[in-house]
Amino acid sequence: MIYEIYHETKFNYAAIVTFSHNIARLKPKNSSTQKLLEHSLKISPNPYETSEFVDYFENTNNFMLIREAHKSLTVTAISRVERIEEEINKNIQELKNCKITFKEARERLTKFNSEDVLSKQYLFETDSIPIANENIKTYILESFSEDRNLFESINEFMQRIFTDFKFVSGFSNVTTPIDEIFEAKKGVCQDFAQFAIGALKSIGLPARYVSGYIQTNPPEGQEKLFGADASHAWFSVYIPSFGWADFDPTNNKIPNEEYIVLGYGRDYLDIAPLKGVVQSSGNSILGVKVNVQRMNS
């Protein structure tokens, strides 16, 4: 399946910006399940300097330095991505057939195994995802017992987030603590992902944040409006003997060919689509327009 993704980010500033530098993470990944066919990045006003580099988490970063005075900044990424359905379905089936138990996984992760080493960096807390409190730990352990199949436990935990939490825009932002998300039982996809990551780490399982997109469909009988989509987030868990496995608690799904991956990180801040510094005064207004379109070929 081939998708074209349009992602426009626009900042309107209250006062003139005399200098700014930003980093965009809007270039989809290449992997065994996903192939990047085309990618372009348009920046307005024209930057004085640009560069591209791959960061520690193997995400592509585009740096842009703007010295021209401006009152708005627009960054538009257009990508064409092929999702390799046969490989995705194969991975999902292997995941469902994985027999390792919760006890076996934790015991292996306490010892040295060369295959597991890099996953262990995802066990530590970050500024935005501290190790979960005892109430959250009690909540997640309702789905986990020592001799239970680990995949079944994680899958049930994902389903419970989907059932127990409500999707409510405007309640939270990227700085809202996972404790507040848990207490209120509401938020958006990035909140559910970060809550799950914090909970999983509290019981000794490496977990990471996944940034990307998902194909959406309009209500029956209506046309899809261009730009009405949004970026998406879910979580990934490291399962010894299998590898990284993705779960989407917002939609109660194991991500399939309809999901496009931008990148991975310990939390949202590691893979924020656009972040930077401006020299100005006053506030700014952010506007984002996203469109995910499945192509015929």
Side-chain angles (χ1 to χ4, degrees):
M1 290 189 178
I2 296 177
Y3 295 93
E4 185 171 272
I5 305 106
Y6 176 96
H7 189 144
E8 177 189 283
T9 306
K10 185 171 185 178
F11 287 95
N12 287 310
Y13 303 106
I16 290 176
V17 174
T18 56
F19 171 92
S20 72
H21 58 86
N22 293 271
I23 289 178
R25 301 187 186 97
L26 295 167
K27 188 174 184 178
K29 295 186 78 70
N30 275 303
S31 69
S32 61
T33 57
Q34 178 173 294
K35 183 178 181 182
L36 179 60
L37 303 177
E38 297 176 26
H39 177 75
S40 65
L41 193 66
K42 183 179 178 181
I43 305 158
S44 179
N46 289 327
Y48 174 81
E49 178 186 337
T50 62
S51 62
E52 183 175 289
F53 64 94
V54 176
D55 64 21
Y56 177 79
F57 301 103
E58 300 184 342
N59 303 312
T60 300
N61 291 240
N62 288 98
F63 170 79
M64 60 198 79
L65 170 63
I66 300 173
R67 290 185 172 180
E68 173 185 334
H70 55 285
K71 285 202 70 176
S72 68
L73 170 66
T74 304
V75 179
T76 305
I78 300 176
S79 307
R80 188 173 287 227
V81 172
E82 179 182 5
R83 291 286 288 165
I84 305 169
E85 191 172 1
E86 181 179 352
E87 193 68 25
I88 294 166
N89 291 337
K90 176 186 172 185
N91 286 356
I92 291 174
Q93 192 57 50
E94 289 178 357
L95 171 63
K96 291 180 177 180
N97 292 335
C98 188
K99 301 301 182 184
I100 193 169
T101 66
F102 178 43
K103 180 181 180 181
E104 291 168 341
R106 290 209 303 181
E107 285 180 349
R108 175 165 154 173
L109 287 166
T110 61
K111 302 172 183 177
F112 175 78
N113 186 301
S114 58
E115 294 179 10
D116 305 333
V117 169
L118 291 178
S119 73
K120 293 185 179 182
Q121 65 188 308
Y122 295 96
L123 282 169
F124 302 103
E125 65 180 1
T126 69
D127 288 342
S128 57
I129 309 182
I131 297 301
N133 63 34
E134 285 302 315
N135 290 335
I136 293 175
K137 188 174 181 179
T138 300
Y139 176 85
I140 187 174
L141 282 174
E142 290 177 24
S143 295
F144 290 77
S145 57
E146 287 196 340
D147 296 324
R148 187 179 185 189
N149 178 281
L150 183 57
F151 163 73
E152 292 177 1
S153 295
I154 300 167
N155 199 51
E156 181 185 290
F157 174 54
M158 171 188 71
Q159 293 169 351
R160 287 173 54 221
I161 296 173
F162 175 78
T163 302
D164 296 346
F165 291 63
K166 292 183 179 180
F167 189 96
V168 179
S169 298
F171 166 74
S172 59
N173 58 46
V174 296
T175 65
T176 303
I178 61 172
D179 294 2
E180 290 186 23
I181 299 300
F182 177 63
E183 289 299 321
K185 298 291 193 300
K186 61 184 177 181
V188 293
C189 59
Q190 68 189 29
D191 300 314
F192 303 155
Q194 298 210 136
F195 165 75
I197 292 166
L200 288 158
K201 289 194 294 187
S202 77
I203 59 171
L205 295 177
R208 65 186 184 183
Y209 186 98
V210 191
S211 173
Y213 308 97
I214 183 173
Q215 179 190 8
T216 58
N217 297 307
E220 188 175 349
Q222 296 183 27
E223 290 188 8
K224 183 177 180 180
L225 298 176
F226 184 88
D229 293 319
S231 56
H232 193 45
W234 55 100
F235 69 88
S236 188
V237 188
Y238 183 77
I239 299 177
S241 77
F242 174 80
W244 289 99
D246 290 5
F247 296 84
D248 178 11
T250 305
N251 294 292
N252 191 26
K253 289 180 69 174
I254 296 174
N256 57 14
E257 71 279 356
E258 297 175 339
Y259 289 69
I260 299 103
V261 177
L262 267 178
Y264 309 102
R266 296 165 301 171
D267 53 29
Y268 168 84
L269 296 177
D270 282 340
I271 190 60
L274 188 68
K275 68 177 183 179
V277 175
V278 301
Q279 186 171 310
S280 183
S281 60
N283 296 322
S284 63
I285 299 173
L286 170 64
V288 178
K289 185 186 293 184
V290 175
N291 194 70
V292 180
Q293 184 70 45
R294 182 178 171 183
M295 312 304 290
N296 293 327
S297 61

